[in-house]
Amino acid sequence: SDTMRAYAAATLAADTAALAAVTTSDFVYTHSSALRESQQQLLDAFTNGRRYTGWEIKDLVEHPYPGVTIMTGDAALGVKRADGPGILNIRFTATAVPVDGGWRLAALHSTRQPD
């Protein structure tokens, strides 16, 4: 859960160094829109102006297994769009793996909840 919260904090701060440090080099993010991004594409998006305005994580549950932790939860994700601010209510599944004595996200997948 600390890994997911660190990821959320890094995206809110648009801190690409922190994002790189909390994700694996082969990280894959599948957005609720079905857009799929690599770690580099994610970093580039924040470098080029992507901004989140909030990450309210709810019902975060960790499922630990040998060598991997699967996290599931809900979140209200504040986003900046061309037509103004919005909230995406999502469900997510995140996979964290041990790297260099800590945990990093290897995959994140989100699904938009119906309004």
Side-chain angles (χ1 to χ4, degrees):
S1 65
D2 290 347
T3 307
M4 189 63 202
R5 292 186 195 287
Y7 173 86
T11 63
L12 282 173
D15 183 339
T16 54
L19 266 177
V22 77
T23 56
T24 61
S25 59
D26 59 353
F27 172 77
V28 174
Y29 177 20
T30 304
H31 292 255
S32 61
S33 66
L35 173 69
R36 181 175 291 151
E37 288 180 324
S38 66
Q39 182 198 55
Q40 190 58 58
Q41 289 169 322
L42 177 73
L43 299 176
D44 290 347
F46 280 96
T47 297
N48 293 325
R50 177 181 294 161
R51 295 296 179 266
Y52 293 158
T53 58
W55 256 105
E56 183 187 345
I57 297 174
K58 300 172 265 192
D59 303 322
L60 183 62
V61 178
E62 286 191 45
H63 308 272
Y65 299 95
V68 66
T69 296
I70 309 295
M71 291 164 279
T72 59
D74 295 344
L77 181 59
V79 294
K80 289 188 178 179
R81 300 186 178 126
D83 60 351
I87 298 287
L88 280 177
N89 291 300
I90 60 170
R91 290 222 156 109
F92 64 85
T93 301
T95 304
V97 295
V99 178
D100 299 331
W103 290 87
R104 293 189 184 193
L105 289 184
L108 175 61
H109 185 274
S110 61
T111 301
R112 189 169 182 171
Q113 296 190 55
D115 291 329

